């Protein structure tokens, strides 16, 4: 017995100072805002799940990865910290098992519900001394771990598995049930996981799951966690057989109690969970028949599927179609790609901005993508849809009609009500879902994804319909013309974007599924716009990834690159602490800028850089929920604080003037500048200085043209864009708000004045 004596210590006498030995571990865990006991408790829970299969083998590398890069100008790190909280789970089999489970559950339930599920599992299966963390602490720890494991691709595997299940029904010439992906408020997931702990740990114990409701998600979960222990059958046809059959999943419609098809009473589908002993004729130890009733034909989804980048739009469309009881046709993927490309080429960024006769029509969104717009569109569509756009001649309405016709020519199967209006509701829901798939794809073209990024597929809710007979009798079938109009109405709201920061916030909305950055419109409802973040935000993240304009890496203006957002896995890291948002200080508009008379400039005047700054000062400050960036420039002994979000927004819409027959550095005479035949009001800008003619009255009814004197200095050109939103002395307009900004290109200043005379809001020309 003496050999079994274990050392014991009274932790109550240890004191706070005694924790010094654990400082490194505790600091790493708490830096991720994770309660240490929550992490320990989750690891203990992992002992109950013996995971196996190819996905389990990937967990150690995913948990330990610490790739990152540095935003040099600000000293920020982007990516994963080394030795963060999830990395400690990679050291044990239990930690890897619970991490694999965490990679799945947030795709099926809200994070708060996942915390409750883990808390109930711990209460049922762990000793009391290990059941310490609260559900909220477990939820926070789960979010932290899921951030690194979400790239495993559970939702892609879900789409693949449900497609295989539906294919079996197709081969059997039977209607596939539409309830395979349904969600409910019942505890089916908790029941399944409780049964799984027994089946995986106890000898001669089998977990049998039968039914239809949510069986697509249950089968996917089992095949991902323990494929070697799973036997999956669909209508008695074996779809997967592991080396051990401890988990038997049988998808069958035989238990469905079907009501009178001529009434509006709904079918009831059952999902049963049962533990059995395969000895002496299946001696049942525990039986739970958890009946899930479909009491409303409106969706009850409360989660947002998370995809890895490859084929995420394709798998999103597949899941949306399968939820409506149909399959997504292969040809439809190319039509979605055509719609995305056509939107970029046909939608204009400005509704107005030029007088009649302007040489510069409002730019399209394709112009914002830069000189390689078509290449970016083709590459994006191939990565996310496995199809390339080909038809750029057809209108969006024509493409939408082809897409919807391909999808709707299939009759929905497995619906819970046989009435015509139930099928029509599914079609309306499908129209909305596919329209928002196209919208998300349209915005995601601006992203430059890094390795292991994940993206959230947002959910859109259809209007609930009453299940009374009167509404069923009065329901009218929606025509295809109306479906196409509804589809295009959602898309057309992008054609009304007039500010760059509006577009930026729409793009940021890709990371915030609850922040809808555009109109979600149903017929008969008023327009209502909502944006998820404030204008000061120009870097945003969720638990998994971060997103910010690529121009922040260098803070330099580059021609022809277009609007680009860096999309990376991880967080913003500063002082070894992680953040999900970077914002700017609220830089006030300058009440007075140094005004110098243009007569002091050397005439005839050549393009120069006399308006550039001397140096800049970049600082970071930690706020409650964000890193705040400050940019100050010093010029001639004075310091000016710049409004960085406005500069970033303005830097993405620069166009290049067409070349003229004169040398680009041809001198500009005083008369050509201030006594031109077009009555254009010309002035010159530096980073914080204005050169203007004496006592000029800047009337908004006359053309206004400004030249940025920052030639050859990319950083000064970038900072000079701040002048577009600054207040200047009373002799000049209160606010210069120039919607059209141009690179000089191979055009002389005199010809630039001539070409920009029709720009109603003014023209800002960067001398490059």
């Amino acid at each position: 017995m003496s050999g079994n004596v274990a050392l014991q210590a009274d932790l109550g006498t240890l004191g706070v100072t005694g924790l010094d030995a654990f400082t490194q571990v505790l600091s790493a865990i708490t830096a991720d805002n994770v309660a240490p006991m929550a992490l320990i408790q989750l690891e203990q829970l992992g002992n109950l799940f013996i995971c196996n299969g190819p996905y389990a083998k990937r967990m150690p590398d995913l948990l330990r990865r610490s790739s990152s890069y540095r935003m040099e100008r600000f000293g920020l790190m982007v990516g994963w910290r080394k030795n963060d909280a999830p990395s400690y789970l990679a050291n044990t089999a239990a930690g890897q098992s619970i991490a694999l489970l965490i990679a799945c559950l947030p795709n099926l339930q809200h994070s708060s519900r996942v915390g409750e599920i883990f808390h109930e599992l711990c209460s049922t299966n762990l000793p009391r001394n290990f059941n310490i963390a609260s559900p909220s602490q477990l939820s926070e720890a789960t979010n932290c771990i899921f951030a690194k494991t979400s790239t495993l691709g559970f939702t892609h595997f879900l789409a693949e598995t449900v497609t295989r299940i539906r294919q079996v029904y197709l081969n059997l010439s039977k209607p596939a049930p539409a309830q395979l992906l349904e969600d409910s408020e019942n505890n089916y997931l908790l029941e399944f996981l409780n049964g799984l702990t027994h089946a995986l740990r106890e000898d001669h114990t089998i977990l049998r799951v039968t039914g239809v409701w949510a069986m697509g998600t249950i089968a996917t979960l089992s095949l991902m966690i323990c494929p070697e222990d799973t036997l999956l059958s669909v209508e008695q046809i074996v779809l997967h057989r592991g080396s051990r059959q401890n988990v038997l999943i049988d998808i069958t419609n035989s238990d469905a109690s079907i009501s009178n098809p001529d009434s509006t009473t709904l079918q009831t589908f059952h999902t049963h969970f049962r533990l059995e002993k395969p000895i002496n004729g299946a001696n049942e130890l525990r039986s739970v028949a958890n009946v899930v009733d479909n009491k409303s034909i409106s969706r009850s989804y409360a989660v947002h599927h998370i995809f890895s980048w490859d084929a995420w739009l394709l798998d999103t469309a597949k899941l949306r179609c399968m939820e409506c009881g149909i399959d997504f046709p292969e040809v439809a993927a190319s039509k979605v790609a055509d719609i995305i490309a056509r939107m970029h080429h046909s939608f204009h960024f400005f509704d107005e901005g030029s007088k009649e006769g302007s040489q510069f029509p409002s730019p399209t969104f394709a112009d914002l993508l830069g000189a390689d717009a078509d290449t970016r569109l083709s590459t994006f569509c191939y990565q996310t849809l496995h199809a390339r756009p080909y038809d750029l001649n057809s209108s969006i309405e024509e493409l939408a009609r082809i897409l919807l016709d391909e999808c709707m020519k299939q009759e929905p199967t497995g619906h819970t009500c046989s009435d015509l209006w139930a099928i029509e509701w599914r079609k309306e829901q499908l129209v909305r879902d596919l329209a928002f798939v196209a919208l998300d794809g349209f915005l995601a073209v601006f992203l430059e994804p890094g390795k292991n990024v994940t993206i959230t597929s947002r959910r859109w809710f259809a209007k609930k319909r009453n299940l009374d007979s009167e509404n069923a009798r009065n329901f009218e079938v929606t025509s295809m013309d109306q479906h196409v109009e509804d589809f295009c109405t959602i898309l057309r709201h992008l054609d009304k974007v007039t500010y760059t920061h509006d577009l930026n916030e729409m793009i940021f909305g890709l990371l915030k599924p609850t922040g809808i950055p555009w109109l979600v419109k149903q017929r008969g409802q008023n327009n209502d716009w909502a944006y998820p973040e404030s204008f000061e935000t120009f870097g945003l993240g969720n638990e998994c990834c971060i997103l910010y304009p690529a121009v922040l890496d260098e803070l330099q203006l580059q021609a022809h690159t277009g609007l680009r957002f860096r999309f990376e896995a991880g967080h913003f890291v500063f002082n070894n602490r992680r953040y999900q948002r970077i914002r700017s200080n609220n830089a006030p508009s300058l009440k007075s800028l140094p005004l110098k008379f243009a007569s002091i400039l050397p005439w005839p005047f050549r393009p120069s850089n006399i308006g550039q700054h001397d140096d800049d000062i970049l600082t970071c400050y930690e706020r409650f929920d964000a890193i705040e960036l400050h940019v100050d420039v010093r010029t001639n002994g004075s310091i000016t604080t710049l409004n960085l979000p406005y500069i970033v927004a303005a830097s993405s819409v620069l166009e290049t003037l067409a070349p003229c027959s004169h040398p680009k550095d041809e001198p500009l005479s005083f008369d050509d500048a201030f006594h031109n035949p077009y009555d254009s009001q010309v002035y010159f800008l530096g980073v914080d200085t204005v050169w203007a003619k004496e006592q000029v009255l800047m009337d908004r009814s006359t053309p206004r043209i400004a030249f940025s004197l920052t030639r050859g200095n990319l950083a000064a050109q970038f900072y000079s864009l701040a002048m577009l939103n600054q207040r200047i002395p009373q002799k000049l307009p209160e606010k210069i708000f120039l919607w059209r900004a141009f690179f000089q290109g191979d055009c002389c200043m005199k010809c630039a004045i001539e070409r920009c005379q029709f720009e109603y809001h003014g023209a800002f020309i960067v001398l490059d």
Side-chain angles (χ1 to χ4, degrees):
M1 293 296 293
S2 60
N4 296 327
V5 176
L7 294 177
Q8 297 182 355
D10 184 1
L11 295 180
T13 64
L14 185 61
V16 176
T17 57
L19 296 176
D20 287 344
F22 308 98
T23 298
Q24 183 177 358
V25 175
L26 291 177
S27 62
I29 295 176
T30 54
D32 291 322
N33 296 323
V34 174
M37 284 308 303
L39 199 65
I40 295 174
Q41 186 169 322
L42 286 175
E43 186 177 27
Q44 291 296 321
L45 185 61
N47 287 314
L48 306 179
F49 298 93
I50 305 175
C51 297
N52 52 64
Y55 289 100
K57 294 178 181 179
R58 294 176 55 188
M59 294 313 300
D61 291 336
L62 286 179
L63 292 170
R64 291 193 180 103
R65 75 183 195 274
S66 59
S67 58
S68 62
Y69 69 92
R70 185 180 181 87
M71 293 174 61
E72 293 294 343
R73 296 303 306 276
F74 290 103
L76 292 177
M77 298 297 297
V78 174
W80 303 106
R81 295 185 303 108
K82 189 176 182 180
N83 296 324
D84 56 2
S87 65
Y88 287 96
L89 294 179
N91 299 327
T92 62
Q96 296 171 24
S97 295
I98 197 64
L100 178 57
L101 187 59
I102 290 173
C104 305
L105 295 190
N107 289 283
L108 304 175
Q109 296 286 341
H110 190 272
S111 61
S112 60
R113 178 56 184 154
V114 174
E116 294 172 355
I117 290 174
F118 282 140
H119 186 263
E120 294 182 39
L121 287 173
C122 293
S123 300
T124 305
N125 299 284
L126 293 183
R128 292 186 60 184
N129 60 320
F130 279 111
N131 189 23
I132 297 175
S134 66
S136 63
Q137 291 174 326
L138 292 173
S139 179
E140 290 294 331
T142 298
N143 290 339
C144 179
I145 299 167
F146 179 70
K148 294 190 76 172
T149 60
S150 60
T151 188
L152 203 61
F154 172 83
T155 315
H156 295 283
F157 190 47
L158 174 65
E160 176 186 337
T161 302
V162 177
T163 299
R164 292 173 60 198
I165 294 172
R166 291 181 61 85
Q167 187 63 41
V168 172
Y169 282 98
L170 178 64
N171 295 337
L172 294 175
S173 299
K174 292 184 178 180
Q179 295 76 25
L180 295 172
L181 291 171
E182 292 285 0
D183 193 9
S184 70
E185 297 299 326
N186 289 270
N187 294 327
Y188 77 91
L189 193 56
L190 180 61
E191 292 293 342
F192 173 70
L193 293 177
N194 260 322
L196 198 62
T197 61
H198 293 278
L200 295 180
R201 290 184 299 121
E202 300 174 3
D203 294 335
H204 308 297
T205 299
I206 291 176
L207 171 64
R208 184 185 297 275
V209 186
T210 59
V212 169
W213 196 272
M215 288 293 281
T217 57
I218 291 175
T220 304
L221 191 60
S222 183
L223 291 177
M224 197 165 192
I225 294 176
C226 51
E228 296 299 323
D229 297 276
T230 300
L231 175 64
L232 172 62
S233 63
V234 180
E235 299 295 344
Q236 301 182 344
I237 295 178
V238 175
L239 201 60
H240 173 86
R241 183 194 299 271
S243 58
R244 303 176 296 274
Q245 286 100 48
N246 296 326
V247 182
L248 306 182
I249 299 177
D250 183 19
I251 301 175
T252 177
N253 253 330
S254 60
D255 289 336
S257 59
I258 304 178
S259 62
N260 182 4
D262 296 328
S263 69
T264 57
T265 307
L266 300 177
Q267 299 172 355
T268 301
F269 296 91
H270 304 280
T271 299
H272 299 271
F273 304 89
R274 188 167 60 192
L275 286 172
E276 302 174 347
K277 282 283 187 180
I279 301 176
N280 299 327
N283 181 26
E284 184 178 299
L285 295 181
R286 179 171 178 246
S287 178
V288 178
N290 199 11
V291 181
V292 183
D293 295 332
N294 185 18
K295 298 180 180 179
S296 172
I297 69 166
S298 64
R299 291 183 182 175
S300 58
Y301 301 115
V303 296
H304 306 273
H305 288 146
I306 298 177
F307 297 85
S308 55
W309 184 261
D310 183 60
W312 70 274
L313 279 180
L314 177 61
D315 286 339
T316 298
K318 286 182 178 180
L319 288 176
R320 298 297 179 264
C321 286
M322 287 188 286
E323 288 162 0
C324 292
I326 64 176
D327 294 309
F328 186 67
E330 292 185 6
V331 68
S334 64
K335 293 307 170 186
V336 175
D338 290 335
I339 290 173
I340 292 173
R342 189 61 183 153
M343 289 165 63
H344 275 277
H345 282 285
S346 61
F347 287 171
H348 289 269
F349 186 64
F350 299 118
D351 282 336
E352 56 183 356
S354 300
K355 291 187 194 177
E356 183 179 355
S358 172
Q359 298 185 28
F360 309 103
S362 296
T364 64
F365 284 91
D367 294 325
L368 296 184
L369 291 175
D372 59 343
D374 290 335
T375 302
R376 291 179 66 178
L377 283 167
S378 179
T379 301
F380 169 82
C381 290
Y382 185 76
Q383 290 176 346
T384 60
L385 287 164
H386 290 178
R388 299 187 188 273
Y390 293 105
D391 187 357
L392 297 181
N393 297 320
S394 300
S395 66
I396 293 177
E397 289 77 8
E398 293 171 339
L399 294 171
R401 184 178 296 275
I402 297 174
L403 170 64
L404 297 179
D405 184 65
E406 287 291 335
C407 294
M408 290 185 178
K409 65 183 180 182
Q410 308 174 58
E411 285 297 327
T413 61
H415 50 274
T416 57
C417 183
S418 61
D419 295 322
L420 178 62
W421 63 268
I423 299 177
E424 288 302 311
W425 174 84
R426 288 183 178 273
K427 290 183 178 179
E428 288 185 11
Q429 180 63 54
L430 181 61
V431 170
R432 291 167 51 81
D433 283 340
L434 292 178
F436 284 115
V437 166
L439 277 175
D440 279 357
F442 173 91
L443 295 172
V445 174
F446 293 100
L447 308 187
E448 291 185 333
K451 296 178 61 176
N452 297 320
V453 296
T454 57
I455 191 165
T456 302
S457 176
R458 294 173 289 184
R459 314 305 298 270
W460 313 103
F461 302 91
K463 186 178 180 180
K464 293 183 179 180
R465 297 194 178 277
N466 297 325
L467 303 183
D468 55 79
S469 300
E470 184 67 25
N471 281 337
R473 286 194 298 269
N474 297 331
F475 184 79
E476 296 181 1
V477 176
T478 305
S479 66
M480 178 58 72
D481 289 341
Q482 187 61 61
H483 284 316
V484 173
E485 176 62 25
D486 292 345
F487 185 96
C488 295
T489 296
I490 296 174
L491 302 186
R492 287 194 193 103
H493 292 287
L494 283 169
D495 201 17
K496 299 178 181 179
V497 177
T498 54
Y499 296 96
T500 312
H501 60 80
D502 291 348
L503 178 60
N504 290 354
E505 296 210 20
M506 288 183 177
I507 295 172
F508 285 144
L510 291 169
L511 296 185
K512 296 291 183 180
T514 56
I516 302 174
W518 49 62
L519 175 70
V520 179
K521 181 180 176 63
Q522 289 190 10
R523 294 195 300 273
Q525 294 185 355
N526 295 327
N527 294 358
D528 185 20
W529 290 80
Y531 297 103
E533 301 294 332
S534 65
F535 178 53
E536 291 99 12
T537 298
F538 48 79
L540 193 66
N542 53 25
E543 289 293 337
C544 307
C545 299
I546 56 94
L547 184 63
Y548 68 92
V551 72
L552 288 182
D553 283 338
E554 301 294 338
L555 294 182
Q556 294 182 352
L557 207 57
Q558 300 286 350
H560 314 302
T561 57
L563 179 61
R564 298 173 186 266
F565 281 78
R566 292 291 297 269
F567 185 38
E568 299 289 343
H571 309 98
F572 299 109
V573 181
F574 184 69
N575 286 339
N576 208 32
R577 288 181 285 272
R578 67 172 189 166
Y579 292 88
Q580 295 182 9
R581 189 162 70 100
I582 55 176
R583 51 162 292 175
S584 172
N585 60 310
N586 294 318
S589 296
L590 299 182
K591 296 182 179 179
S592 179
L593 287 176
L595 174 61
K596 298 181 179 180
F597 295 134
S599 58
I600 68 174
L601 295 174
W603 296 98
F605 184 75
R606 292 179 180 274
S608 69
N609 60 2
I610 61 174
Q612 67 184 5
H613 60 294
D614 296 329
D615 58 23
D616 54 15
I617 304 172
L618 311 179
T619 58
C620 297
Y621 180 74
E622 294 182 87
R623 302 297 293 261
F624 172 74
D625 62 343
I627 301 173
E628 188 172 279
L629 306 183
H630 294 249
V631 178
D632 299 314
V633 293
R634 185 176 61 84
T635 307
N636 298 326
S638 63
I639 295 180
T640 303
T641 300
L642 301 181
N643 192 321
L644 190 56
Y646 190 89
I647 300 174
V648 170
S651 67
S652 61
V653 293
L654 285 136
E655 305 167 69
T656 301
L657 294 173
C660 68
S661 59
H662 312 108
K664 63 182 297 183
D665 57 353
E666 180 172 306
L668 178 69
S669 69
F670 189 88
D671 287 340
D672 288 337
F674 298 106
H675 300 103
N676 59 77
Y678 323 109
D679 293 327
S680 297
Q681 303 174 52
V682 178
Y683 47 94
F684 301 88
L685 301 176
V687 172
D688 66 346
T689 306
V690 178
W691 287 269
K693 186 182 177 183
E694 298 181 18
Q695 298 179 349
V696 66
L697 294 178
M698 287 294 191
D699 186 358
R700 287 182 176 268
S701 64
T702 60
R704 295 174 290 135
I705 301 172
F707 290 96
S708 170
L709 304 184
T710 53
R711 185 179 189 185
N713 189 325
L714 298 180
Q717 292 173 1
F718 179 73
Y719 293 146
S720 69
L721 296 177
M723 300 297 293
L724 299 178
N725 196 35
Q726 300 293 356
R727 297 181 183 275
I728 57 180
Q730 295 297 324
K731 292 182 179 180
L732 298 179
E734 182 184 27
K735 194 174 187 180
I736 304 175
F737 193 76
L738 307 175
W739 281 17
R740 307 301 293 270
F742 302 91
F743 280 108
Q744 178 189 7
D746 294 324
C747 180
C748 70
M749 289 189 289
K750 181 178 179 180
C751 291
I753 295 174
E754 178 183 356
R755 291 174 177 178
C756 297
Q757 60 176 303
F758 293 106
E759 293 307 308
Y760 178 78
H761 294 286
F764 180 81
I765 302 172
V766 177
L767 299 178
D768 57 347

